[in-house]
Amino acid sequence: MASEAEKTFQRFAVFGESSSSGTEMNNKNFSKLCKDCGIMDGKMVTSTDVDIVFSKVKAKNARTVTFQQFQEAMKELGQKRFKGKSPDEALENIYKLMEGKDPATTGVTKATTVGGVSRLTDTSKYTGTHKERFDESGKGKGIAGREDVTDNSGYVSGYKGAGTYDKKGST
């Protein structure tokens, strides 16, 4: 039974810790294990109890607990969680709660696809000067849609005889 508990310990020890080897667990992951496995029930065992037990079993200057220290913590929490049972029986029940559990990722924010993107990129709904940048099919006109194309022929706009100068001079 302890080997199954050790596997669960390792799964939670490496959860969210890219540098962790799985041999030591920090307080955050210890609390998560207690919450996810149902050891912390909110009545008999609260998050405060879990934090106190963690601080009690870890070394004075350490921030993590080893599996041996973790087992001591489980013995203490087992007596709190299962009052009236022998310490070994309580520890056995704790290990049963832990059996086969993985760190849960419920309530984690997921990436959402925003519906506003299609509305914002629909060229048929464009107005004003932006409307002139796209043809009827919604395809962009490129530079012609962004700039006024200037006539560099040398004639003023509206002159009907544009391009006839060379013809007049040769007669």
Side-chain angles (χ1 to χ4, degrees):
M1 194 65 89
S3 66
E4 187 63 41
E6 196 162 3
K7 286 179 191 168
T8 304
F9 172 85
Q10 287 172 340
R11 283 195 295 264
F12 277 89
V14 297
F15 182 75
E17 301 293 322
S18 57
S19 61
S20 177
S21 61
T23 55
E24 293 185 330
M25 181 184 288
N26 62 17
N27 193 7
K28 175 179 68 81
N29 289 355
F30 181 71
S31 298
K32 183 166 180 54
L33 182 143
C34 292
K35 192 183 290 175
D36 289 356
C37 294
I39 298 165
M40 187 193 309
D41 60 357
K43 293 181 180 69
M44 297 294 234
V45 179
T46 63
S47 60
T48 309
D49 295 327
V50 170
D51 288 340
I52 290 169
V53 169
F54 181 85
S55 295
K56 203 182 288 183
V57 296
K58 73 173 177 63
K60 274 277 185 258
N61 56 355
R63 289 173 167 240
T64 57
V65 291
T66 61
F67 186 67
Q68 281 67 37
Q69 293 168 322
F70 172 77
Q71 286 176 311
E72 288 173 39
M74 288 300 124
K75 281 180 190 163
E76 284 199 39
L77 289 173
Q79 288 172 326
K80 261 187 159 47
R81 177 80 162 81
F82 302 103
K83 281 199 167 116
K85 293 192 176 182
S86 70
D88 293 334
E89 201 177 334
L91 187 61
E92 201 68 29
N93 286 345
I94 289 280
Y95 286 155
K96 278 191 182 123
L97 286 173
M98 285 172 55
E99 203 172 303
K101 288 283 191 344
D102 281 318
T105 54
T106 53
V108 176
T109 307
K110 292 176 182 66
T112 58
T113 54
V114 181
V117 174
S118 60
R119 187 172 45 86
L120 293 170
T121 55
D122 183 5
T123 57
S124 66
K125 292 191 169 71
Y126 286 1
T127 59
T129 57
H130 303 290
K131 191 177 199 175
E132 296 169 16
R133 293 177 50 201
F134 300 91
D135 58 16
E136 290 77 39
S137 67
K139 190 160 169 38
K141 292 181 184 175
I143 193 104
R146 285 189 294 264
E147 289 181 2
D148 291 331
V149 182
T150 56
D151 179 22
N152 292 328
S153 65
Y155 294 95
V156 292
S157 63
Y159 179 63
K160 302 219 181 339
T164 58
Y165 179 75
D166 290 335
K167 292 176 190 162
K168 283 184 180 175
S170 61
T171 52

